[in-house]
Short mmCIF file of all heavy atoms in Angstrom, two decimals:
data_model
loop_
_atom_site.label_atom_id
_atom_site.label_comp_id
_atom_site.label_asym_id
_atom_site.label_seq_id
_atom_site.Cartn_x
_atom_site.Cartn_y
_atom_site.Cartn_z
N MET P 1 14.12 43.38 -49.18
CA MET P 1 13.23 44.19 -48.36
C MET P 1 14.01 45.07 -47.40
O MET P 1 13.46 45.54 -46.43
CB MET P 1 12.26 43.29 -47.61
CG MET P 1 11.25 42.65 -48.52
SD MET P 1 9.68 42.07 -47.86
CE MET P 1 9.36 42.93 -46.40
N ASP P 2 15.24 45.29 -47.70
CA ASP P 2 16.01 46.19 -46.86
C ASP P 2 15.41 47.58 -46.91
O ASP P 2 14.99 48.05 -47.96
CB ASP P 2 17.47 46.26 -47.32
CG ASP P 2 18.21 44.97 -47.06
OD1 ASP P 2 17.78 44.22 -46.16
OD2 ASP P 2 19.21 44.71 -47.74
N GLY P 3 15.34 48.23 -45.77
CA GLY P 3 14.82 49.57 -45.70
C GLY P 3 13.31 49.66 -45.59
O GLY P 3 12.77 50.75 -45.53
N VAL P 4 12.62 48.53 -45.60
CA VAL P 4 11.16 48.55 -45.50
C VAL P 4 10.77 48.89 -44.07
O VAL P 4 11.29 48.32 -43.11
CB VAL P 4 10.54 47.20 -45.90
CG1 VAL P 4 9.06 47.17 -45.63
CG2 VAL P 4 10.84 46.90 -47.35
N GLN P 5 9.88 49.86 -43.93
CA GLN P 5 9.38 50.28 -42.62
C GLN P 5 7.86 50.17 -42.62
O GLN P 5 7.22 50.41 -43.64
CB GLN P 5 9.78 51.72 -42.33
CG GLN P 5 11.26 51.94 -42.21
CD GLN P 5 11.82 51.34 -40.93
OE1 GLN P 5 11.25 51.50 -39.87
NE2 GLN P 5 12.92 50.63 -41.05
N PHE P 6 7.30 49.84 -41.47
CA PHE P 6 5.86 49.74 -41.31
C PHE P 6 5.42 50.70 -40.21
O PHE P 6 6.01 50.71 -39.14
CB PHE P 6 5.45 48.32 -40.92
CG PHE P 6 5.84 47.29 -41.94
CD1 PHE P 6 7.06 46.63 -41.84
CD2 PHE P 6 5.00 46.98 -42.99
CE1 PHE P 6 7.42 45.68 -42.77
CE2 PHE P 6 5.36 46.04 -43.93
CZ PHE P 6 6.57 45.39 -43.83
N VAL P 7 4.40 51.49 -40.49
CA VAL P 7 3.81 52.37 -39.49
C VAL P 7 2.37 51.93 -39.31
O VAL P 7 1.58 51.97 -40.24
CB VAL P 7 3.86 53.86 -39.92
CG1 VAL P 7 3.22 54.73 -38.85
CG2 VAL P 7 5.28 54.29 -40.21
N LEU P 8 2.05 51.46 -38.11
CA LEU P 8 0.69 51.04 -37.78
C LEU P 8 0.10 52.09 -36.85
O LEU P 8 0.73 52.46 -35.85
CB LEU P 8 0.70 49.69 -37.06
CG LEU P 8 1.43 48.54 -37.76
CD1 LEU P 8 1.46 47.32 -36.86
CD2 LEU P 8 0.80 48.22 -39.08
N PHE P 9 -1.08 52.59 -37.20
CA PHE P 9 -1.70 53.56 -36.29
C PHE P 9 -3.21 53.39 -36.31
O PHE P 9 -3.80 53.00 -37.31
CB PHE P 9 -1.29 54.99 -36.60
CG PHE P 9 -1.56 55.48 -37.98
CD1 PHE P 9 -2.76 56.09 -38.31
CD2 PHE P 9 -0.60 55.34 -38.97
CE1 PHE P 9 -2.99 56.55 -39.58
CE2 PHE P 9 -0.82 55.81 -40.25
CZ PHE P 9 -2.03 56.42 -40.56
N ASP P 10 -3.79 53.69 -35.17
CA ASP P 10 -5.23 53.59 -35.01
C ASP P 10 -5.64 54.47 -33.85
O ASP P 10 -4.81 54.88 -33.04
CB ASP P 10 -5.66 52.14 -34.75
CG ASP P 10 -7.13 51.92 -35.05
OD1 ASP P 10 -7.45 51.63 -36.22
OD2 ASP P 10 -7.96 52.07 -34.13
N ILE P 11 -6.95 54.75 -33.76
CA ILE P 11 -7.47 55.57 -32.67
C ILE P 11 -7.94 54.71 -31.49
O ILE P 11 -8.31 55.24 -30.46
CB ILE P 11 -8.60 56.49 -33.14
CG1 ILE P 11 -9.76 55.69 -33.73
CG2 ILE P 11 -8.07 57.50 -34.15
CD1 ILE P 11 -10.99 56.52 -34.06
N SER P 12 -7.88 53.39 -31.65
CA SER P 12 -8.31 52.48 -30.59
C SER P 12 -7.12 52.09 -29.72
O SER P 12 -6.18 51.44 -30.18
CB SER P 12 -8.92 51.22 -31.20
OG SER P 12 -9.06 50.21 -30.22
N GLU P 13 -7.17 52.48 -28.44
CA GLU P 13 -6.09 52.12 -27.52
C GLU P 13 -5.95 50.61 -27.42
O GLU P 13 -4.84 50.09 -27.35
CB GLU P 13 -6.34 52.72 -26.14
CG GLU P 13 -6.15 54.21 -26.10
CD GLU P 13 -6.29 54.77 -24.69
OE1 GLU P 13 -5.73 54.17 -23.75
OE2 GLU P 13 -6.97 55.80 -24.55
N ALA P 14 -7.08 49.89 -27.41
CA ALA P 14 -7.05 48.44 -27.28
C ALA P 14 -6.34 47.79 -28.47
O ALA P 14 -5.53 46.87 -28.30
CB ALA P 14 -8.46 47.89 -27.14
N LEU P 15 -6.62 48.28 -29.67
CA LEU P 15 -5.97 47.72 -30.86
C LEU P 15 -4.48 48.03 -30.88
O LEU P 15 -3.66 47.15 -31.16
CB LEU P 15 -6.63 48.27 -32.13
CG LEU P 15 -6.04 47.76 -33.45
CD1 LEU P 15 -6.09 46.24 -33.55
CD2 LEU P 15 -6.73 48.41 -34.63
N VAL P 16 -4.12 49.25 -30.54
CA VAL P 16 -2.71 49.62 -30.51
C VAL P 16 -1.95 48.76 -29.49
O VAL P 16 -0.86 48.27 -29.77
CB VAL P 16 -2.55 51.13 -30.22
CG1 VAL P 16 -1.11 51.49 -29.89
CG2 VAL P 16 -3.05 51.95 -31.41
N GLU P 17 -2.55 48.54 -28.34
CA GLU P 17 -1.91 47.69 -27.33
C GLU P 17 -1.81 46.25 -27.81
O GLU P 17 -0.79 45.58 -27.60
CB GLU P 17 -2.68 47.76 -26.00
CG GLU P 17 -2.01 47.00 -24.89
CD GLU P 17 -0.58 47.42 -24.59
OE1 GLU P 17 -0.21 48.59 -24.79
OE2 GLU P 17 0.20 46.55 -24.14
N ALA P 18 -2.84 45.76 -28.50
CA ALA P 18 -2.79 44.39 -29.05
C ALA P 18 -1.67 44.26 -30.09
O ALA P 18 -0.96 43.25 -30.13
CB ALA P 18 -4.13 44.03 -29.67
N TRP P 19 -1.52 45.28 -30.93
CA TRP P 19 -0.41 45.26 -31.90
C TRP P 19 0.93 45.21 -31.19
O TRP P 19 1.82 44.46 -31.58
CB TRP P 19 -0.45 46.50 -32.78
CG TRP P 19 -1.46 46.48 -33.88
CD1 TRP P 19 -2.06 45.38 -34.45
CD2 TRP P 19 -1.98 47.61 -34.57
NE1 TRP P 19 -2.92 45.78 -35.43
CE2 TRP P 19 -2.89 47.14 -35.54
CE3 TRP P 19 -1.77 48.98 -34.46
CZ2 TRP P 19 -3.57 47.99 -36.40
CZ3 TRP P 19 -2.46 49.82 -35.32
CH2 TRP P 19 -3.35 49.34 -36.28
N ARG P 20 1.08 46.01 -30.14
CA ARG P 20 2.36 46.02 -29.40
C ARG P 20 2.66 44.66 -28.80
O ARG P 20 3.78 44.17 -28.87
CB ARG P 20 2.33 47.11 -28.32
CG ARG P 20 2.43 48.49 -28.91
CD ARG P 20 2.50 49.56 -27.83
NE ARG P 20 2.67 50.87 -28.45
CZ ARG P 20 2.01 51.95 -28.12
NH1 ARG P 20 1.14 51.91 -27.13
NH2 ARG P 20 2.23 53.09 -28.74
N CYS P 21 1.64 44.04 -28.21
CA CYS P 21 1.83 42.71 -27.62
C CYS P 21 2.16 41.68 -28.70
O CYS P 21 3.06 40.85 -28.52
CB CYS P 21 0.58 42.29 -26.86
SG CYS P 21 0.29 43.22 -25.35
N ALA P 22 1.45 41.73 -29.82
CA ALA P 22 1.69 40.78 -30.91
C ALA P 22 3.08 40.97 -31.50
O ALA P 22 3.76 39.98 -31.83
CB ALA P 22 0.63 40.94 -31.98
N LEU P 23 3.51 42.21 -31.62
CA LEU P 23 4.84 42.49 -32.15
C LEU P 23 5.91 41.84 -31.27
O LEU P 23 6.81 41.17 -31.77
CB LEU P 23 5.06 44.00 -32.23
CG LEU P 23 6.30 44.48 -32.94
CD1 LEU P 23 6.15 44.32 -34.44
CD2 LEU P 23 6.58 45.94 -32.61
N GLU P 24 5.78 42.01 -29.97
CA GLU P 24 6.74 41.42 -29.04
C GLU P 24 6.71 39.90 -29.08
O GLU P 24 7.74 39.25 -28.97
CB GLU P 24 6.48 41.90 -27.62
CG GLU P 24 6.88 43.33 -27.38
CD GLU P 24 6.68 43.76 -25.94
OE1 GLU P 24 6.69 42.89 -25.05
OE2 GLU P 24 6.49 44.97 -25.72
N GLU P 25 5.52 39.34 -29.24
CA GLU P 25 5.37 37.89 -29.20
C GLU P 25 5.75 37.20 -30.51
O GLU P 25 6.32 36.11 -30.50
CB GLU P 25 3.93 37.54 -28.85
CG GLU P 25 3.67 36.06 -28.68
CD GLU P 25 2.27 35.74 -28.24
OE1 GLU P 25 1.57 36.64 -27.71
OE2 GLU P 25 1.85 34.59 -28.43
N HIS P 26 5.46 37.82 -31.65
CA HIS P 26 5.56 37.12 -32.93
C HIS P 26 6.64 37.62 -33.88
O HIS P 26 6.97 36.92 -34.84
CB HIS P 26 4.22 37.17 -33.66
CG HIS P 26 3.11 36.53 -32.91
ND1 HIS P 26 3.02 35.17 -32.71
CD2 HIS P 26 2.04 37.06 -32.27
CE1 HIS P 26 1.94 34.89 -32.00
NE2 HIS P 26 1.33 36.03 -31.72
N VAL P 27 7.16 38.81 -33.65
CA VAL P 27 8.15 39.36 -34.57
C VAL P 27 9.54 39.24 -33.93
O VAL P 27 9.73 39.65 -32.79
CB VAL P 27 7.83 40.85 -34.90
CG1 VAL P 27 8.91 41.44 -35.78
CG2 VAL P 27 6.47 40.94 -35.56
N PRO P 28 10.49 38.66 -34.66
CA PRO P 28 11.84 38.54 -34.10
C PRO P 28 12.40 39.91 -33.70
O PRO P 28 12.14 40.92 -34.36
CB PRO P 28 12.66 37.95 -35.25
CG PRO P 28 11.65 37.31 -36.15
CD PRO P 28 10.40 38.12 -36.00
N GLU P 29 13.15 39.92 -32.62
CA GLU P 29 13.67 41.18 -32.09
C GLU P 29 14.45 41.97 -33.14
O GLU P 29 14.36 43.18 -33.21
CB GLU P 29 14.56 40.90 -30.88
CG GLU P 29 14.95 42.14 -30.14
CD GLU P 29 15.64 41.86 -28.82
OE1 GLU P 29 15.57 40.73 -28.33
OE2 GLU P 29 16.26 42.80 -28.30
N ALA P 30 15.17 41.28 -33.99
CA ALA P 30 15.97 41.96 -35.02
C ALA P 30 15.11 42.72 -36.02
O ALA P 30 15.57 43.68 -36.64
CB ALA P 30 16.84 40.94 -35.76
N ALA P 31 13.85 42.33 -36.18
CA ALA P 31 12.97 42.97 -37.16
C ALA P 31 12.05 44.01 -36.53
O ALA P 31 11.39 44.78 -37.24
CB ALA P 31 12.12 41.93 -37.87
N ARG P 32 11.99 44.08 -35.22
CA ARG P 32 11.05 45.00 -34.54
C ARG P 32 11.33 46.46 -34.83
O ARG P 32 10.41 47.28 -34.80
CB ARG P 32 11.08 44.76 -33.04
CG ARG P 32 10.43 43.47 -32.66
CD ARG P 32 10.40 43.28 -31.18
NE ARG P 32 10.16 41.88 -30.89
CZ ARG P 32 10.48 41.29 -29.76
NH1 ARG P 32 11.04 41.99 -28.79
NH2 ARG P 32 10.23 40.02 -29.60
N SER P 33 12.55 46.81 -35.13
CA SER P 33 12.87 48.22 -35.39
C SER P 33 12.24 48.70 -36.70
O SER P 33 12.19 49.90 -36.95
CB SER P 33 14.38 48.43 -35.44
OG SER P 33 14.94 47.71 -36.52
N ARG P 34 11.73 47.79 -37.51
CA ARG P 34 11.06 48.16 -38.76
C ARG P 34 9.63 48.64 -38.52
O ARG P 34 8.98 49.12 -39.43
CB ARG P 34 11.02 46.98 -39.72
CG ARG P 34 12.37 46.54 -40.20
CD ARG P 34 12.21 45.33 -41.10
NE ARG P 34 13.49 44.89 -41.58
CZ ARG P 34 13.94 45.13 -42.81
NH1 ARG P 34 13.21 45.81 -43.65
NH2 ARG P 34 15.11 44.69 -43.18
N PHE P 35 9.12 48.48 -37.30
CA PHE P 35 7.73 48.79 -36.98
C PHE P 35 7.63 49.99 -36.05
O PHE P 35 8.35 50.09 -35.07
CB PHE P 35 7.06 47.60 -36.30
CG PHE P 35 6.87 46.42 -37.20
CD1 PHE P 35 7.89 45.51 -37.41
CD2 PHE P 35 5.67 46.22 -37.86
CE1 PHE P 35 7.72 44.42 -38.24
CE2 PHE P 35 5.48 45.13 -38.70
CZ PHE P 35 6.52 44.23 -38.89
N THR P 36 6.70 50.87 -36.37
CA THR P 36 6.34 51.98 -35.50
C THR P 36 4.85 51.84 -35.26
O THR P 36 4.08 51.68 -36.22
CB THR P 36 6.63 53.33 -36.16
OG1 THR P 36 8.03 53.40 -36.48
CG2 THR P 36 6.26 54.49 -35.26
N ILE P 37 4.44 51.91 -34.00
CA ILE P 37 3.02 51.79 -33.65
C ILE P 37 2.62 53.05 -32.91
O ILE P 37 3.27 53.44 -31.94
CB ILE P 37 2.78 50.54 -32.78
CG1 ILE P 37 3.20 49.28 -33.56
CG2 ILE P 37 1.32 50.46 -32.36
CD1 ILE P 37 3.14 48.01 -32.74
N ARG P 38 1.53 53.68 -33.38
CA ARG P 38 1.10 54.94 -32.79
C ARG P 38 -0.40 54.95 -32.52
O ARG P 38 -1.18 54.44 -33.32
CB ARG P 38 1.42 56.10 -33.72
CG ARG P 38 2.88 56.30 -33.95
CD ARG P 38 3.11 57.54 -34.77
NE ARG P 38 4.54 57.69 -35.01
CZ ARG P 38 5.05 58.10 -36.14
NH1 ARG P 38 4.27 58.43 -37.14
NH2 ARG P 38 6.34 58.21 -36.28
N LEU P 39 -0.76 55.61 -31.45
CA LEU P 39 -2.17 55.87 -31.14
C LEU P 39 -2.50 57.24 -31.71
O LEU P 39 -2.20 58.27 -31.10
CB LEU P 39 -2.39 55.83 -29.62
CG LEU P 39 -3.81 56.11 -29.14
CD1 LEU P 39 -4.76 55.03 -29.64
CD2 LEU P 39 -3.84 56.19 -27.62
N THR P 40 -3.07 57.26 -32.91
CA THR P 40 -3.34 58.51 -33.61
C THR P 40 -4.28 58.23 -34.77
O THR P 40 -4.68 57.10 -34.99
CB THR P 40 -2.03 59.17 -34.11
OG1 THR P 40 -2.30 60.47 -34.60
CG2 THR P 40 -1.35 58.35 -35.17
N GLN P 41 -4.61 59.26 -35.52
CA GLN P 41 -5.40 59.08 -36.74
C GLN P 41 -4.67 59.73 -37.90
O GLN P 41 -3.76 60.55 -37.70
CB GLN P 41 -6.80 59.66 -36.58
CG GLN P 41 -6.84 61.12 -36.22
CD GLN P 41 -8.26 61.57 -35.91
OE1 GLN P 41 -9.20 60.79 -35.94
NE2 GLN P 41 -8.42 62.84 -35.63
N LEU P 42 -5.05 59.36 -39.10
CA LEU P 42 -4.35 59.80 -40.30
C LEU P 42 -4.24 61.32 -40.38
O LEU P 42 -3.20 61.86 -40.72
CB LEU P 42 -5.04 59.25 -41.55
CG LEU P 42 -4.40 59.57 -42.88
CD1 LEU P 42 -2.97 59.04 -42.94
CD2 LEU P 42 -5.22 59.00 -44.02
N GLU P 43 -5.33 62.03 -40.02
CA GLU P 43 -5.32 63.49 -40.12
C GLU P 43 -4.26 64.13 -39.22
O GLU P 43 -3.82 65.25 -39.48
CB GLU P 43 -6.69 64.07 -39.74
CG GLU P 43 -7.78 63.73 -40.73
CD GLU P 43 -8.49 62.41 -40.42
OE1 GLU P 43 -8.36 61.90 -39.30
OE2 GLU P 43 -9.16 61.89 -41.32
N ASP P 44 -3.87 63.44 -38.15
CA ASP P 44 -2.90 64.00 -37.21
C ASP P 44 -1.46 63.61 -37.54
O ASP P 44 -0.54 64.08 -36.88
CB ASP P 44 -3.23 63.55 -35.79
CG ASP P 44 -4.57 64.11 -35.32
OD1 ASP P 44 -4.99 65.16 -35.85
OD2 ASP P 44 -5.19 63.48 -34.44
N GLU P 45 -1.27 62.76 -38.53
CA GLU P 45 0.07 62.33 -38.90
C GLU P 45 0.59 63.19 -40.05
O GLU P 45 -0.17 63.65 -40.90
CB GLU P 45 0.07 60.87 -39.35
CG GLU P 45 -0.11 59.89 -38.21
CD GLU P 45 1.04 59.95 -37.23
OE1 GLU P 45 2.22 59.80 -37.64
OE2 GLU P 45 0.77 60.13 -36.04
N THR P 46 1.88 63.41 -40.05
CA THR P 46 2.51 64.10 -41.18
C THR P 46 3.60 63.19 -41.72
O THR P 46 4.39 62.62 -40.96
CB THR P 46 3.12 65.45 -40.76
OG1 THR P 46 4.06 65.23 -39.72
CG2 THR P 46 2.06 66.41 -40.30
N PHE P 47 3.62 63.04 -43.01
CA PHE P 47 4.62 62.21 -43.67
C PHE P 47 5.25 63.04 -44.77
O PHE P 47 4.53 63.67 -45.56
CB PHE P 47 3.97 60.98 -44.31
CG PHE P 47 3.27 60.08 -43.33
CD1 PHE P 47 1.89 60.13 -43.19
CD2 PHE P 47 3.99 59.19 -42.56
CE1 PHE P 47 1.23 59.29 -42.30
CE2 PHE P 47 3.35 58.35 -41.66
CZ PHE P 47 1.97 58.40 -41.53
N PRO P 48 6.57 63.04 -44.85
CA PRO P 48 7.20 63.73 -45.99
C PRO P 48 6.70 63.09 -47.28
O PRO P 48 6.49 61.89 -47.35
CB PRO P 48 8.69 63.47 -45.78
CG PRO P 48 8.83 63.12 -44.34
CD PRO P 48 7.54 62.46 -43.95
N GLU P 49 6.47 63.90 -48.29
CA GLU P 49 5.98 63.38 -49.57
C GLU P 49 6.92 62.32 -50.13
O GLU P 49 8.12 62.40 -49.99
CB GLU P 49 5.80 64.52 -50.56
CG GLU P 49 4.64 65.43 -50.21
CD GLU P 49 4.29 66.37 -51.34
OE1 GLU P 49 4.53 66.03 -52.50
OE2 GLU P 49 3.80 67.46 -51.00
N GLU P 50 6.32 61.35 -50.77
CA GLU P 50 7.03 60.27 -51.46
C GLU P 50 7.89 59.42 -50.53
O GLU P 50 8.91 58.90 -50.95
CB GLU P 50 7.86 60.83 -52.61
CG GLU P 50 7.01 61.52 -53.66
CD GLU P 50 7.82 62.04 -54.83
OE1 GLU P 50 8.98 61.65 -54.97
OE2 GLU P 50 7.28 62.85 -55.58
N THR P 51 7.48 59.28 -49.27
CA THR P 51 8.24 58.41 -48.37
C THR P 51 7.57 57.07 -48.17
O THR P 51 8.08 56.24 -47.47
CB THR P 51 8.45 59.07 -46.99
OG1 THR P 51 7.17 59.32 -46.41
CG2 THR P 51 9.24 60.33 -47.09
N PHE P 52 6.40 56.87 -48.79
CA PHE P 52 5.76 55.59 -48.66
C PHE P 52 5.20 55.14 -50.01
O PHE P 52 4.94 55.94 -50.89
CB PHE P 52 4.64 55.62 -47.60
CG PHE P 52 3.60 56.67 -47.85
CD1 PHE P 52 2.51 56.42 -48.66
CD2 PHE P 52 3.71 57.92 -47.26
CE1 PHE P 52 1.55 57.39 -48.89
CE2 PHE P 52 2.75 58.90 -47.48
CZ PHE P 52 1.67 58.63 -48.29
N ASP P 53 5.06 53.83 -50.12
CA ASP P 53 4.56 53.25 -51.36
C ASP P 53 3.10 52.83 -51.26
O ASP P 53 2.44 52.65 -52.27
CB ASP P 53 5.39 52.04 -51.76
CG ASP P 53 6.82 52.42 -52.09
OD1 ASP P 53 7.00 53.45 -52.74
OD2 ASP P 53 7.74 51.69 -51.69
N CYS P 54 2.60 52.66 -50.04
CA CYS P 54 1.28 52.09 -49.90
C CYS P 54 0.66 52.46 -48.56
O CYS P 54 1.35 52.49 -47.55
CB CYS P 54 1.40 50.57 -50.00
SG CYS P 54 -0.13 49.68 -49.82
N ILE P 55 -0.63 52.74 -48.58
CA ILE P 55 -1.42 52.89 -47.36
C ILE P 55 -2.51 51.83 -47.45
O ILE P 55 -3.23 51.76 -48.44
CB ILE P 55 -2.05 54.28 -47.24
CG1 ILE P 55 -0.98 55.35 -47.09
CG2 ILE P 55 -3.02 54.32 -46.06
CD1 ILE P 55 -1.53 56.76 -47.04
N VAL P 56 -2.59 51.00 -46.42
CA VAL P 56 -3.60 49.95 -46.39
C VAL P 56 -4.57 50.27 -45.26
O VAL P 56 -4.16 50.53 -44.14
CB VAL P 56 -2.97 48.56 -46.16
CG1 VAL P 56 -4.04 47.49 -46.09
CG2 VAL P 56 -1.97 48.26 -47.25
N SER P 57 -5.85 50.27 -45.59
CA SER P 57 -6.88 50.58 -44.62
C SER P 57 -8.07 49.67 -44.85
O SER P 57 -8.42 49.40 -46.00
CB SER P 57 -7.30 52.05 -44.79
OG SER P 57 -8.49 52.29 -44.08
N PRO P 58 -8.71 49.21 -43.78
CA PRO P 58 -9.92 48.42 -43.99
C PRO P 58 -10.99 49.23 -44.70
O PRO P 58 -11.86 48.68 -45.36
CB PRO P 58 -10.37 48.02 -42.59
CG PRO P 58 -9.52 48.76 -41.65
CD PRO P 58 -8.38 49.35 -42.40
N ALA P 59 -10.92 50.54 -44.63
CA ALA P 59 -11.88 51.39 -45.32
C ALA P 59 -11.72 51.29 -46.83
O ALA P 59 -12.65 51.60 -47.57
CB ALA P 59 -11.72 52.84 -44.87
N ASN P 60 -10.55 50.87 -47.29
CA ASN P 60 -10.33 50.76 -48.73
C ASN P 60 -11.32 49.82 -49.40
O ASN P 60 -11.64 49.97 -50.56
CB ASN P 60 -8.91 50.30 -49.04
CG ASN P 60 -7.87 51.36 -48.75
OD1 ASN P 60 -8.21 52.51 -48.50
ND2 ASN P 60 -6.62 50.97 -48.77
N SER P 61 -11.81 48.83 -48.69
CA SER P 61 -12.75 47.89 -49.28
C SER P 61 -14.08 48.55 -49.62
O SER P 61 -14.88 48.00 -50.38
CB SER P 61 -12.98 46.70 -48.34
OG SER P 61 -13.60 47.13 -47.15
N TYR P 62 -14.31 49.72 -49.07
CA TYR P 62 -15.53 50.46 -49.36
C TYR P 62 -15.27 51.61 -50.33
O TYR P 62 -16.14 52.44 -50.55
CB TYR P 62 -16.15 51.01 -48.07
CG TYR P 62 -16.50 49.91 -47.10
CD1 TYR P 62 -15.72 49.70 -45.97
CD2 TYR P 62 -17.60 49.09 -47.30
CE1 TYR P 62 -16.03 48.67 -45.09
CE2 TYR P 62 -17.92 48.06 -46.44
CZ TYR P 62 -17.12 47.87 -45.32
OH TYR P 62 -17.41 46.87 -44.45
N GLY P 63 -14.07 51.71 -50.85
CA GLY P 63 -13.73 52.78 -51.77
C GLY P 63 -13.48 54.11 -51.09
O GLY P 63 -13.45 55.14 -51.74
N ARG P 64 -13.31 54.08 -49.77
CA ARG P 64 -13.03 55.32 -49.02
C ARG P 64 -11.55 55.36 -48.70
O ARG P 64 -10.97 54.36 -48.29
CB ARG P 64 -13.83 55.34 -47.72
CG ARG P 64 -15.32 55.43 -47.96
CD ARG P 64 -16.06 55.39 -46.66
NE ARG P 64 -15.71 56.54 -45.84
CZ ARG P 64 -16.18 56.75 -44.63
NH1 ARG P 64 -17.01 55.87 -44.09
NH2 ARG P 64 -15.83 57.81 -43.95
N LEU P 65 -10.95 56.48 -48.86
CA LEU P 65 -9.52 56.60 -48.59
C LEU P 65 -9.23 57.60 -47.47
O LEU P 65 -8.12 58.07 -47.34
CB LEU P 65 -8.79 57.02 -49.88
CG LEU P 65 -8.93 56.00 -51.02
CD1 LEU P 65 -8.26 56.54 -52.28
CD2 LEU P 65 -8.33 54.67 -50.64
N ASP P 66 -10.23 57.89 -46.65
CA ASP P 66 -10.02 58.84 -45.57
C ASP P 66 -9.69 58.15 -44.24
O ASP P 66 -9.55 58.80 -43.22
CB ASP P 66 -11.21 59.77 -45.41
CG ASP P 66 -12.49 59.03 -45.04
OD1 ASP P 66 -12.45 57.79 -44.89
OD2 ASP P 66 -13.54 59.70 -44.90
N GLY P 67 -9.53 56.82 -44.25
CA GLY P 67 -9.14 56.09 -43.05
C GLY P 67 -10.24 55.92 -42.02
O GLY P 67 -9.99 55.54 -40.89
N ARG P 68 -11.48 56.18 -42.39
CA ARG P 68 -12.59 56.05 -41.44
C ARG P 68 -13.42 54.83 -41.74
O ARG P 68 -13.58 54.38 -42.77
CB ARG P 68 -13.46 57.28 -41.48
CG ARG P 68 -12.71 58.49 -40.98
CD ARG P 68 -13.61 59.69 -40.99
NE ARG P 68 -12.76 60.84 -40.73
CZ ARG P 68 -13.18 62.05 -40.82
NH1 ARG P 68 -14.40 62.32 -41.14
NH2 ARG P 68 -12.37 63.05 -40.57
#
């Protein structure tokens, strides 16, 4: 899993803050650099093509891929 990076983002300030707290509490310091946490939405993010293998969203369970 070398080189694996995780980007967590949401529009909820409370959720983003909870992720930050959980990261500090539960993820070893050596692995924290693999995580990026942002207060944003998918439409506002730009990713170079082919830099990720998977997008996971709770909306996926409804067959929606727009992150809403």
Side-chain angles (χ1 to χ4, degrees):
M1 290 203 22
D2 291 337
V4 173
Q5 296 288 315
F6 300 92
V7 179
L8 306 174
F9 57 90
D10 199 87
I11 59 173
S12 167
E13 289 184 45
L15 180 58
V16 168
E17 184 57 30
W19 282 339
R20 287 184 177 135
C21 290
L23 189 74
E24 287 183 25
E25 184 176 341
H26 300 290
V27 176
E29 190 171 344
R32 289 183 197 157
S33 64
R34 295 178 180 257
F35 292 84
T36 301
I37 300 174
R38 296 186 182 141
L39 179 64
T40 189
Q41 58 187 2
L42 182 59
E43 293 88 16
D44 295 335
E45 287 296 306
T46 57
F47 299 100
E49 289 192 28
E50 299 182 14
T51 60
F52 56 87
D53 295 319
C54 178
I55 295 176
V56 179
S57 166
N60 289 350
S61 65
Y62 300 105
R64 294 178 62 182
L65 299 176
D66 62 1
R68 295 182 190 171

